[in-house]
Structure formats: structure tokens, C-alpha cells
Amino acid sequence: MHRKMCFYLDEVDRILQGKIQYPISCEIDLSNKCQNRCTFCMFRNYLEKFRVVLNYEIYQKTIARLNKLGVRSITFTGGGEPLTYPKFEDAVLDAQKLRFEVGLVTNGIDLDRYASLVPSFRFIRVSLDAVTESTYLKIKGQPLFRKVKKNIELILKNRKTTTIGISFVVCQENQHEIEKAKVLAKDLKVDYIQFKPAFRRNLNRIKETNKTIITKRYKVSSTLPCAIAGLVGIIGADANVYFCCQKRGEDKYRLGNLQTESFERIWARRNDVNPDIKECSTCRYMNYAKGYKKFSQDKYQFLRHKHFL
């Protein structure tokens, strides 16, 4: 994950200098509705309070603007479950027409309804988080493990070049299934399985390979991750733009609402936010911060000359 930062050293520099840098990628929550009630869901209270879907006209206007601002990719994620969005197919095709690279993070329950759309995505990651029906039920509150597994098998048949993986959020209820999860991923023939902790914990006992990805949660030690988060736009189903992915639903980190303002005007406020890192016990962007520091070292300085071959 951290290696991606070698492509965006200059963009991070601009953010650190206080300049406006529009996102490289945007995460869009089409819906705050979800069929599951995952025990580890960090947005559970927010989703239950605001069960809304993104206004389709606002979505269309926004992605058209993002395209002109140079945003290169869109990930449909949550928030809630993207496939519950009433106009999901239209939303995907709209993004495709604008030549965005499109990704999907899903619980996989309704993937059979959209199997024909699979080739439209650069990647699809299914949040499986279990190896058995009983564990799935404990974590998600739904007896749908077999259905999701069948849907994964279905989209694997329908893909062309789409990367398809599964994620396994390690928590108390499923930690005994880690080794079995790697076997399941191999049997399904997905491209990778991603392990990440529900909370801050040590995943060193899991061996990382080219098909087993370990995504750790690091304790926040500086504001560098806050700057790097500026490469990713976060648009909620409530049409609010948030400072970072972990602050969805928090008024303090709401930059503005797309119903009343343009994305550019909202994004300009980002530099005025001074987050208190004491409020963030761990941070997803710490992975990228480590990458930025590494690739800014003397022996990697040639990466800043990427346009000279």
C-alpha cells in the first residue's frame, strides 16, 4: 500500500506547502443503508441515524466537476452498502463515460444483480470477514455467508481484467479462522485476501505474500497523514464532504455540503482545518505517511524526477 506514494510525492509537497491540491481519488458513499450490522463497524451509529442515499442529480453534477478537476478514480464504498443505491447501475455507467477508473467495496450480498457490470470495475473487494456461516452470522447478523460466497464465484466468471479480492477484518469472533481464510481465498481463486484489524492489534503472525495483503492500523504520530488524506476526497451519502475517511458523520470535520456549494469551494476549506491528532488513536493514512517518508529519503530522490527518463 505505502508504495503508491512514490507516484504522488509532488502532490503531497503541494499540500504541505498550503497550496490547493485536488484529490487523486474520491470515495463516494452512494448509500448509508446496509443489510448487515457488523460488530466492528466504526460508522454504525452514524448510519443508523442518517439512513439516506445520495441525490442522483448531485452525484452527476459532482462527478462531472471532479472530472474537470483532474480526479482520476472513484471508489464506491461506505458508509453503507453501495449496491443498495436505487440507481447504482446508472451511477457506474456515468462514471465510466467520464473515463474514471472505478472501484467497488461491497458486502457482496447483491452482487448477483449486477454481475454484468463487473468488467466496468478496475477492482472489486468483497467484505467477507468469515469462513463459516456461524461466524458470519455472529459478526454480521445475517445468515448470508453461502450467498456471498456464490456471488464471489459468479463475478469471478464474469470478469475480464477486473481485480477481485476479499477482505477479512480480524476481530474477536473470527481470529481463529485466519489460516482457514487464506485457504478459502486460494480455493475461490480470488486475486488476493486483505487482512486488517478491527482495532489496533498485531498482525505480525500473518505472513504477507503477493496474494495476502496485511493492512495495519498505526498509532498517529504526526499531522503528515492528515495532509496525505488530502489526496482522497470523501463524499458521504448525505452529500457532505468530509476531511478524511475516518471522520464521516462528524460535524467538526464536515467541510461543506454539495447541495448548496461546489466541490471547489468546499475543498478550499480543507487547509483551514487543524485536526487534533490526539482524537485519532489509529489512522489508515499512516501507511501512506510511512511511504512518503521512505521515498523522500536521499536514495529515493530520483523518484522526484519521474518525468525525466
Side-chain angles (χ1 to χ4, degrees), residues 237-304:
D238 49 14
N240 285 321
V241 178
Y242 291 99
F243 182 82
C244 77
C245 68
Q246 295 186 199
K247 300 301 183 183
R248 284 179 173 89
E250 296 188 29
D251 288 339
K252 184 177 178 180
Y253 293 99
R254 183 174 66 87
L255 301 179
N257 192 284
L258 293 165
Q259 295 182 50
T260 56
E261 295 181 285
S262 68
F263 185 86
E264 298 99 305
R265 179 171 291 186
I266 293 171
W267 197 252
R269 297 193 186 105
R270 202 176 186 287
N271 290 346
D272 298 327
V273 178
N274 296 305
D276 182 357
I277 62 172
K278 293 179 182 178
E279 296 179 359
C280 304
S281 56
T282 60
C283 177
R284 157 187 162 185
Y285 298 107
M286 277 299 297
N287 289 286
Y288 297 111
K290 288 176 179 291
Y292 175 80
K293 288 182 178 180
K294 176 179 180 179
F295 297 123
S296 294
Q297 294 172 359
D298 291 344
K299 64 180 179 179
Y300 291 108
Q301 281 297 307
F302 69 90
L303 290 171
R304 294 186 178 277

Side-chain angles (χ1 to χ4, degrees), residues 172-200:
Q172 186 174 352
E173 293 88 348
N174 66 10
Q175 57 186 342
H176 64 286
E177 293 185 342
I178 288 174
E179 293 303 320
K180 291 180 180 178
K182 289 193 278 188
V183 174
L184 175 62
K186 185 176 180 180
D187 291 344
L188 286 171
K189 297 181 180 178
V190 293
D191 295 303
Y192 67 92
I193 179 169
Q194 178 194 45
F195 290 99
K196 53 186 176 181
F199 308 102
R200 190 174 173 225

Side-chain angles (χ1 to χ4, degrees), residues 32 37 43-51:
N32 276 350
R37 290 176 56 84
F43 303 117
R44 190 165 174 176
N45 293 334
Y46 165 57
L47 300 183
E48 289 179 353
K49 188 175 180 180
F50 301 103
R51 297 182 68 83

Side-chain angles (χ1 to χ4, degrees), residues 25-229:
S25 178
C26 266
E27 296 182 6
I28 299 180
D29 303 346
L30 294 175
S31 174
N32 276 350
K33 300 177 181 180
C34 185
Q35 308 95 321
N36 290 331
R37 290 176 56 84
C38 297
T39 56
F40 51 72
C41 181
M42 65 188 299
F43 303 117
R44 190 165 174 176
N45 293 334
Y46 165 57
L47 300 183
E48 289 179 353
K49 188 175 180 180
F50 301 103
R51 297 182 68 83
V52 297
V53 297
L54 185 62
N55 178 280
Y56 181 56
E57 289 185 3
I58 290 176
Y59 165 77
Q60 287 183 306
K61 291 177 181 178
T62 300
I63 64 168
R65 198 66 209 142
L66 294 177
N67 183 51
K68 291 182 179 179
L69 294 174
V71 175
R72 301 173 192 176
S73 67
I74 289 174
T75 301
F76 295 119
T77 181
E81 167 53 41
L83 299 187
T84 63
Y85 191 60
K87 298 181 76 67
F88 178 73
E89 182 172 359
D90 293 328
V92 173
L93 296 178
D94 288 340
Q96 196 174 30
K97 287 175 185 175
L98 291 172
R99 299 185 182 279
F100 284 109
E101 293 185 32
V102 186
L104 173 65
V105 179
T106 173
N107 62 29
I109 293 172
D110 291 327
L111 273 174
D112 50 324
R113 294 172 52 196
Y114 298 104
S116 63
L117 282 178
V118 171
S120 300
F121 296 101
R122 176 58 67 94
F123 78 89
I124 297 175
R125 185 167 68 247
V126 181
S127 305
L128 192 57
D129 307 315
V131 174
T132 62
E133 186 78 58
S134 59
T135 301
Y136 190 95
L137 180 61
K138 284 180 185 177
I139 294 173
K140 297 177 179 292
Q142 296 279 7
L144 296 172
F145 175 77
R146 292 183 182 87
K147 184 180 192 301
V148 174
K149 184 180 173 184
K150 283 185 178 179
N151 285 348
I152 293 171
E153 293 169 344
L154 175 63
I155 64 172
L156 284 165
K157 292 178 182 177
N158 281 53
R159 70 163 168 183
K160 292 180 181 177
T161 60
T162 305
T163 300
I164 295 177
I166 57 177
S167 66
F168 192 96
V169 177
V170 180
C171 58
Q172 186 174 352
E173 293 88 348
N174 66 10
Q175 57 186 342
H176 64 286
E177 293 185 342
I178 288 174
E179 293 303 320
K180 291 180 180 178
K182 289 193 278 188
V183 174
L184 175 62
K186 185 176 180 180
D187 291 344
L188 286 171
K189 297 181 180 178
V190 293
D191 295 303
Y192 67 92
I193 179 169
Q194 178 194 45
F195 290 99
K196 53 186 176 181
F199 308 102
R200 190 174 173 225
R201 71 171 69 213
N202 196 326
L203 296 182
N204 289 340
R205 67 191 181 94
I206 305 175
K207 184 178 180 181
E208 185 159 14
T209 67
N210 62 334
K211 290 194 173 184
T212 302
I213 301 170
I214 313 301
T215 302
K216 298 179 181 178
R217 293 182 185 271
Y218 292 100
K219 184 176 177 59
V220 184
S221 57
S222 72
T223 57
L224 178 57
C226 302
I228 291 172

